[in-house]
């Protein structure tokens, strides 16, 4: 945790001292382990991509060998999963790129873009699955019953590979939306494969050709329901929305309760990445008193209570700017 206090803006424009002008406090949470999640997941992404590429090859080969459209279609779907993992990995690697004068926050937003793209890819894949299932429901494929054993075995391999890959990302899914996107993509595939095995077994046993498309539609509906939250949250963050885990009213109340603060002015909270949150605010302090200890305590409180990793606080005796929102 490093905290820097600047009054350059005030000194430059009016020559006033720190007590009468602007005090900025930057709190960076980069030293805290949960914000290094992307670095720790490099191996997980590499293993996940390798396993899924191998599975795509197996599925495509057996789909071609037994002339199973279902397996070939699922191979194409799993290829989109590899693309999803690559997107998430690129987003995670972008976090490690250092900020520069033209990109002062660095490239952390790539993780939000990756989460959004992953959700979009999953929604499109499930839409394609639903479309194919509807077609199969209207005209059942009698050949499915003869291919059921091969389809079940290949889908069984898919359950193992997708579950193993999802487990690689389980630890980071709560604190990082990008990792959550990768986890959901793999968990969704494990569910699809499980549905294929169950449908294959019942089709083989009972001869229910309609079951495979019905199970596919049910799985697609469950995954669409789960993915919508990821899509909505990542889109919200792309438009500088306050992260869902932070209550802006509670943040405002915390700042307003600081000693000497009469009110909080022009508060902004947004995500610069899926595991990094930034805050700026004007604190109206009629009697002054915002020394380094005050700013450091405020920054630390925001980090501990709300996991806000970059804080800029400007103290004023009288507000002189129009706020972007009522405060």
């Amino acid at each position: 945790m490093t905290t820097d206090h600047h009054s350059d803006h005030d000194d430059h424009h009016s020559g006033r001292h720190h007590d009468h002008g602007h005090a900025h406090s930057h709190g960076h949470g980069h030293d805290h382990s949960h914000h290094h999640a992307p670095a720790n997941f490099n191996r997980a992404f590499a293993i996940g991509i390798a396993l899924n590429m191998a599975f795509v090859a197996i599925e495509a080969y057996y789909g071609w060998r037994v002339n199973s459209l279902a397996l070939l279609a699922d191979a194409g779907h799993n290829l989109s999963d590899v693309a999803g993992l690559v997107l998430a990995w690129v987003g995670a690697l972008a976090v490690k790129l250092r900020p520069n004068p033209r990109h002062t926050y660095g490239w952390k937003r790539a993780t939000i873009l990756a989460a959004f793209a992953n959700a979009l890819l999953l929604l499109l894949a499930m839409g394609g699955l639903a479309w194919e299932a509807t077609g199969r429901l209207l005209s059942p494929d009698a050949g499915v019953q003869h291919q059921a054993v091969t389809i079940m075995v290949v889908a069984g391999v898919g359950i193992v590979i997708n579950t193993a890959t999802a487990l690689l990302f389980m630890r980071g899914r709560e604190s990082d939306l990008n990792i959550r996107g990768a986890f959901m993509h793999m968990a969704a595939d494990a569910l699809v494969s499980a549905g294929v095995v169950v449908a294959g077994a019942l089709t083989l046993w009972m001869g229910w050709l309609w079951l495979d498309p019905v199970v596919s539609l049910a799985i697609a509906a469950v995954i669409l329901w789960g993915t919508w939250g990821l899509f909505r949250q990542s889109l919200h963050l792309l438009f500088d929305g306050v992260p869902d885990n932070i209550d802006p009213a509670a943040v405002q109340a915390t700042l307003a309760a600081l000693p000497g603060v009469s009110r909080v002015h022009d508060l902004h909270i947004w995500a610069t990445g899926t595991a990094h949150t930034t805050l700026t605010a004007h604190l109206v302090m009629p009697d002054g008193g915002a020394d380094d200890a005050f700013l450091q305590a405020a920054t630390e409180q925001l980090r501990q209570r709300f996991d806000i990793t970059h804080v800029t606080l400007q103290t004023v005796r009288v507000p002189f700017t129009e706020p972007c929102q009522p405060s």
Side-chain angles (χ1 to χ4, degrees):
M1 177 82 187
T2 59
T3 308
D4 310 315
H5 309 298
H6 305 290
S7 55
D8 302 349
H9 177 89
D10 193 55
D11 296 340
H12 177 73
H13 290 288
S14 63
R16 286 178 298 180
H17 294 293
H18 180 83
D19 289 342
H20 304 291
H22 305 226
H24 301 283
S25 165
H26 301 283
H28 304 282
H30 308 298
D31 297 332
H32 307 286
S33 59
H34 59 286
H35 291 134
H36 277 297
N40 297 337
F41 283 97
N42 276 336
R43 190 176 169 201
F45 280 119
I47 293 169
I49 290 167
L51 284 174
N52 280 271
M53 278 302 294
F55 181 55
V56 166
I58 291 167
E59 202 168 31
Y61 171 73
Y62 280 101
W64 165 76
R65 190 171 178 181
V66 303
N67 195 29
S68 167
L69 181 62
L71 282 181
L72 287 171
D74 199 45
H77 165 66
N78 280 301
L79 197 58
S80 80
D81 295 335
V82 174
L85 280 176
V86 170
L87 272 172
W89 197 8
V90 168
L93 290 173
V95 170
K96 296 197 290 184
L97 294 175
R98 295 181 66 83
N100 60 47
R102 303 295 295 176
H103 297 91
T104 54
Y105 279 115
W107 302 84
K108 299 181 191 72
R109 191 166 289 250
T111 55
I112 302 174
L113 281 168
F116 177 75
N118 222 329
L120 199 60
L121 202 60
L122 199 49
L123 288 172
L124 290 171
M126 289 304 103
L129 183 66
W131 179 266
E132 187 194 339
T134 304
R136 287 290 176 98
L137 194 60
L138 295 173
S139 54
D141 181 9
V144 168
Q145 192 170 1
H146 304 297
Q147 302 162 1
V149 174
T150 302
I151 291 170
M152 283 166 62
V153 170
V154 175
V157 173
I159 293 174
V160 174
I161 288 175
N162 289 314
T163 302
T165 309
L167 289 173
L168 292 172
F169 299 105
M170 181 173 276
R171 187 166 52 86
R173 77 189 192 284
E174 297 300 330
S175 60
D176 192 323
L177 194 67
N178 186 38
I179 301 297
R180 183 181 154 209
F183 170 81
M184 284 190 66
H185 222 132
M186 294 300 103
D189 281 347
L191 190 61
V192 169
S193 297
V196 170
V197 170
V198 172
L202 287 172
T203 301
L204 190 64
W205 180 35
M206 304 294 290
W208 293 341
L209 300 179
W210 52 267
L211 189 64
D212 181 62
V214 166
V215 168
S216 297
L217 282 170
I219 290 168
V222 169
I223 293 168
L224 285 172
W225 179 265
T227 305
W228 183 253
L230 180 69
F231 176 79
R232 182 198 60 77
Q233 196 176 356
S234 54
L235 185 63
H236 173 71
L237 294 184
L238 279 176
F239 284 92
D240 289 335
V242 178
D244 286 359
N245 63 317
I246 294 175
D247 178 3
V251 173
Q252 175 130 357
T254 298
L255 291 171
L258 292 170
V261 175
S262 64
R263 79 182 168 101
V264 180
H265 185 71
D266 207 19
L267 172 65
H268 296 277
I269 307 164
W270 73 99
T272 51
T274 51
H276 300 83
T277 306
T278 298
L279 174 147
T280 63
H282 294 183
L283 304 182
V284 181
M285 301 180 71
D287 300 324
D291 58 9
D292 285 4
F294 170 89
L295 292 167
Q296 189 164 359
T299 300
E300 186 65 20
Q301 196 174 150
L302 290 168
R303 186 187 66 78
Q304 288 185 352
R305 285 195 60 187
F306 305 103
D307 204 19
I308 296 173
T309 53
H310 190 110
V311 172
T312 302
L313 297 174
Q314 178 172 302
T315 64
V316 293
R317 293 180 187 274
V318 178
F320 58 86
T321 59
E322 284 295 319
C324 298
Q325 60 191 29
S327 56

